[in-house]
Amino acid sequence: MTTEIKKEMCFSPSFDYIDNGIEHGVLSPFETKEVLLKKGTVIAEGFKPLTGDIKLLKDVPVKLRDGVTIYTDIYLPITEEKVPVLVAWSPYGKSAGTAPRYKNLFNMLGMGNHWNSGLTKFEAPDPDYWCAHGYAVCNPDMRGIAHSEGDTTMIGSQEAEDGYDLIEWLADQAWSNGKTALTGTSYLAFSQWYIAAEQPPHLTCINPTEGLADGYRDLAYIGGIPDKNFIERLQVNHVSATGAKREDLVKEMDRYPLANAAIWQDKKADPSKITVPAFVIASYSNTLHTMGTFRSWRTLGSKEKWLRIHDRQEWPYYYEEKNIEELRRFFDYYLLGKENDWLATPTVRYSILDFQGGNQTDIPAESFPPVTSENKRYFMNGQSRTLQENASTTDVPVTYSSAVLPGRTSFQMTFDQATTFVGYPKAKLFMEVNDYDDMDVFVWVQKLDKFGNVLSEFVVPNHGAALQDFTQEGASALRYKGAWGRLRASMRKLDEQVATDEIPAYTFNQVEKVAAGEIVELDIVLSPMGLNYQAGETLRVVISTKDELGSVMPGTPGCTPDNQGTHTLHTGGEYASYLQLPLLVD
């Protein structure tokens, strides 16, 4: 039975699928057939030659439980052995590895395209590598995409059911050893939280590499502040050759502004239902995926699970040779039954960044945060504009306007010895607004060098002038600038069943406007951090009326705050605002 939630969805016409062998890749023209791709073949100019022979089962029909047929490409090694299969679930086009939009993207990031064969679905494993090591790779076009039937939905139970059905179909194929895994980054990661929670019997393990986990909290309404721009960017991938419709999340945002609507409840993953082994990849720097990845790790039901926190952007990480080799050890153990040293892998490996070329990575621990991390409060002093260990006895309010520059206030502390923070930071702010009834509040934790310069760190290979331009006030997923968080004051109600003193969480199920003269208490969750400060360096926390980190990716605007009037931050007495940081203790 298909999911009932579709009755609540809003749909719009899908975008046209241009099947010219260019727009969606050189292998995109539709034809169900078997193709032998020979060693040395160059799929398209700029991509590496195939390292071995591969059998391509192209446009294979798969019938789902409700009778809808989707189409998938399957890459197989040339062998008589039965093989496991890696599944790459997303709407991004099963044959689009050579599409101009992806070639241009990887060139912009400084990665080029020579690292892959051109068979690689966007954000998915390269069939050339994995077939050479005894694996099949399945690249489906999900419901409503390209020639697949049905209407496209975006995140939630329909995708979970469809992924379940595909996994069980794959396990029943003559060439399959009955074992499957989900892998990939971004959309291919967050789809895993939903599919794996359905517990397909033949899903053996998963590898979510940086993916959000809650369509409301991580995508549409981060901090309760609506942001339609990036969703509109995602939805242009919903292309159809059959006249399908696509779920329109922008329309759903207008119709369902609160998180307790059934449509958003359906888009909230429940990783506690996942029981298969999981190798989870995270970073501190991804302003779209970090929060959801760490939240999923904390609630993941798998008894066998590993977390690796790296210091790169997800794509250069996922396709770096040494990381692919490590992922193969995980898959070899669970999918091929090879006795290797995978189980000796530390449960957690985290990074400590310094923004100056001295990052420490793969630090082993049994948990995140490590047990030697302790939460410490640093109170804001409105008179000196500093952070201090004890709260001021007297409240000194700090006022700034949302209409006049700079539209922010900040507080600093300079360290007299090396200090490291690893874990979950938060901000507790006591605030009021004049001449309006709401506030969008943005918090940013910076690192300044001993000369007072604000530091940041590129997480992609390209550091050129164009990337400098894009990332100075935007493209935040490509340049890490420090821990961040945001909250709309009227959406401040904490979820008592989930929130802790360490990690705030919100219901987002009611609107509580701010009355004139009312001082409201805001607990603002900040992104996880691992950051080192040397003696003479400074931590600065910025509290702003605007998103100073900017949009997630180039060419897409960030959210538009709803701020008017003046904001007042209270800093002492009964209104002692503070920044809570996870101090690593020797």
PDB file of all heavy atoms in Angstrom, residues 175 366 490 504 514:
ATOM      1  N   TRP A 175      22.327 -12.431 -10.194  1.00  0.00           N
ATOM      2  CA  TRP A 175      23.736 -12.066 -10.017  1.00  0.00           C
ATOM      3  C   TRP A 175      24.047 -11.589  -8.588  1.00  0.00           C
ATOM      4  O   TRP A 175      25.209 -11.354  -8.249  1.00  0.00           O
ATOM      5  CB  TRP A 175      24.136 -10.971 -11.002  1.00  0.00           C
ATOM      6  CG  TRP A 175      23.173  -9.814 -11.064  1.00  0.00           C
ATOM      7  CD1 TRP A 175      22.181  -9.622 -11.979  1.00  0.00           C
ATOM      8  CD2 TRP A 175      23.091  -8.705 -10.147  1.00  0.00           C
ATOM      9  NE1 TRP A 175      21.484  -8.469 -11.698  1.00  0.00           N
ATOM     10  CE2 TRP A 175      22.033  -7.887 -10.584  1.00  0.00           C
ATOM     11  CE3 TRP A 175      23.813  -8.332  -9.011  1.00  0.00           C
ATOM     12  CZ2 TRP A 175      21.663  -6.726  -9.925  1.00  0.00           C
ATOM     13  CZ3 TRP A 175      23.458  -7.164  -8.352  1.00  0.00           C
ATOM     14  CH2 TRP A 175      22.400  -6.378  -8.808  1.00  0.00           C
ATOM     15  N   GLU A 366      35.781   7.296  22.147  1.00  0.00           N
ATOM     16  CA  GLU A 366      34.674   6.361  22.275  1.00  0.00           C
ATOM     17  C   GLU A 366      33.326   7.039  22.101  1.00  0.00           C
ATOM     18  O   GLU A 366      32.305   6.369  21.956  1.00  0.00           O
ATOM     19  CB  GLU A 366      34.727   5.666  23.646  1.00  0.00           C
ATOM     20  CG  GLU A 366      35.914   4.728  23.804  1.00  0.00           C
ATOM     21  CD  GLU A 366      35.917   3.636  22.750  1.00  0.00           C
ATOM     22  OE1 GLU A 366      34.850   3.013  22.542  1.00  0.00           O
ATOM     23  OE2 GLU A 366      36.968   3.418  22.112  1.00  0.00           O
ATOM     24  N   SER A 490       9.769  34.021  17.904  1.00  0.00           N
ATOM     25  CA  SER A 490       8.405  33.531  18.080  1.00  0.00           C
ATOM     26  C   SER A 490       8.305  32.014  17.997  1.00  0.00           C
ATOM     27  O   SER A 490       7.261  31.439  18.314  1.00  0.00           O
ATOM     28  CB  SER A 490       7.483  34.157  17.027  1.00  0.00           C
ATOM     29  OG  SER A 490       7.903  33.804  15.722  1.00  0.00           O
ATOM     30  N   PRO A 504      19.859  22.451  22.742  1.00  0.00           N
ATOM     31  CA  PRO A 504      18.463  22.868  22.648  1.00  0.00           C
ATOM     32  C   PRO A 504      17.775  22.242  21.432  1.00  0.00           C
ATOM     33  O   PRO A 504      18.415  21.952  20.420  1.00  0.00           O
ATOM     34  CB  PRO A 504      18.551  24.385  22.485  1.00  0.00           C
ATOM     35  CG  PRO A 504      19.927  24.755  22.988  1.00  0.00           C
ATOM     36  CD  PRO A 504      20.792  23.581  22.662  1.00  0.00           C
ATOM     37  N   VAL A 514       6.507  38.349  20.365  1.00  0.00           N
ATOM     38  CA  VAL A 514       7.163  39.056  21.465  1.00  0.00           C
ATOM     39  C   VAL A 514       6.394  40.338  21.766  1.00  0.00           C
ATOM     40  O   VAL A 514       6.220  41.185  20.882  1.00  0.00           O
ATOM     41  CB  VAL A 514       8.630  39.381  21.105  1.00  0.00           C
ATOM     42  CG1 VAL A 514       9.318  40.074  22.286  1.00  0.00           C
ATOM     43  CG2 VAL A 514       9.375  38.110  20.701  1.00  0.00           C
TER      44      VAL A 514
END
